[in-house]
Amino acid sequence: MAQAGERPSAQAGAVTALVWLIGLAVFINYIDRGTLGIAAPRLKDDLGLTATQYGLAASAFFWVYAPGQLVAGWLVGRTNAGWLLAAGLGLWGLATALTGLANGLIALVLLRLLLAVGEAVTFPALFKLIVDHVDAARQGAANAALSIGLALGPAFGTLAGGLLLASLGWRWLFGVVGIATLLWLLPWIITIKRLPPPAVHAGATGDGPTYLQILVTRAALSLSLSQVCWGFGLYFLVTWLPLWLVEVRHYSLQDMAWIGALAFAAQAVAALIGGQVNDVLLRRGLAPAR
């Protein structure tokens, strides 16, 4: 909430900072959730995990993350989304840092569950903040910042994380990434204190559709199917690509970092080009409008 008497220019500056920090939050989010896959070539052997046990630890994140977003969606409508996101990020940053102290499968699974609880609030809170504080003319920029963070996070995380793994080891990797994550909270807290009051939207009062009513619509079903297809490919690579490059293809950790980063960077470029092509098709009437 903005301070009483805050100048409009200061509030506009807070909204600009919000847009940049939204992109950075997603960027950090995708680095943190991919750190286990980056660490896997060293962590798996150090903790004496089989491939099945490692897969169990990696999949534990999604046991909570998927249903947790439903809970988070309910919470953001009843609490301050900015502070909720701060709490979620603080929790997932702490979980990431503590993973460097894990001594076995159970600890690893529990910390991945804790990471998922924190990260589940991210997208529901970010979209609520965009709707509440970013005017329609700038919402495209806000969503672009979010998309760029999502695309570049795995690429940067694989490169920087792989090089950190090679030089410092997997325990230090988690510690450095977790502490770096928590630093985001400093500018975020300053920014959300300076934000103008949330915008009032027409038709915002009254009861909206239920989850079930939304889920049975054609739009929701088709978007869910496309998300499943996209997510399967992405998270298969995030979870297994570093380990496959090192254990099966016998690349060094440094080479794994560069090859993995290039793979995710190529995906980011393809996503950006695809978005531009879609916009061109929309303008020419060759793609269905929303």
Side-chain angles (χ1 to χ4, degrees):
M1 185 69 67
Q3 300 289 333
E6 186 107 45
R7 291 185 311 232
S9 60
Q11 293 183 355
V15 173
T16 299
L18 175 76
V19 171
W20 283 101
L21 288 169
I22 279 174
L24 185 57
V26 176
F27 179 78
I28 294 169
N29 182 286
Y30 272 80
I31 290 174
D32 284 25
R33 72 176 65 181
T35 303
L36 181 64
I38 299 164
R42 289 275 179 86
L43 175 148
K44 177 174 167 289
D45 291 337
D46 284 357
L47 295 184
L49 303 179
T50 65
T52 300
Q53 289 172 324
Y54 165 71
L56 179 69
S59 66
F61 173 86
F62 299 99
W63 305 345
V64 171
Y65 181 71
Q69 289 188 80
L70 297 176
V71 178
W74 179 85
L75 280 175
V76 297
R78 292 160 177 80
T79 61
N80 184 303
W83 288 109
L84 182 66
L85 178 60
L89 187 137
L91 186 62
W92 98 55
L94 181 63
T96 299
L98 290 176
T99 303
L101 303 176
N103 59 0
L105 177 62
I106 293 176
L108 202 57
V109 167
L110 291 176
L111 286 166
R112 292 296 288 180
L113 295 175
L114 188 64
L115 177 74
V117 172
E119 293 205 356
V121 309
T122 306
F123 287 98
L126 290 180
F127 289 133
K128 182 67 160 55
L129 288 163
I130 291 173
V131 170
D132 282 350
H133 296 289
V134 183
D135 60 62
R138 300 178 66 190
Q139 285 185 6
N143 283 290
L146 187 152
S147 298
I148 291 169
L150 188 154
L152 296 182
F156 178 83
T158 303
L159 177 59
L163 296 177
L164 274 173
L165 177 66
S167 59
L168 299 177
W170 68 270
R171 295 188 184 276
W172 277 101
L173 168 62
F174 282 105
V176 169
V177 172
I179 292 170
T181 295
L182 295 174
L183 294 177
W184 178 90
L185 289 171
L186 299 176
W188 181 253
I189 290 171
I190 294 170
T191 298
I192 59 176
K193 287 182 176 179
R194 297 172 55 208
L195 285 173
V200 177
H201 304 285
T205 57
D207 295 330
T210 65
Y211 279 132
L212 182 59
Q213 289 171 328
I214 294 172
L215 288 174
V216 297
T217 64
R218 185 174 65 177
L221 291 172
S222 59
L223 285 171
S224 297
L225 178 60
S226 65
Q227 180 72 10
V228 168
C229 296
W230 170 82
F232 180 86
L234 173 64
Y235 290 111
F236 183 84
L237 293 177
V238 167
T239 302
W240 293 102
L241 180 61
L243 193 63
W244 179 80
L245 288 172
V246 174
E247 288 198 348
V248 178
R249 305 304 300 175
H250 306 296
Y251 285 103
S252 68
L253 293 175
Q254 291 88 345
D255 288 342
M256 174 273 288
W258 285 102
I259 294 170
L262 287 172
F264 290 117
Q267 180 192 45
V269 171
L272 293 174
I273 293 174
Q276 293 298 317
V277 170
N278 183 70
D279 288 346
V280 171
L281 293 176
L282 282 171
R283 287 195 294 269
R284 296 185 177 182
L286 299 176
R290 294 176 184 176

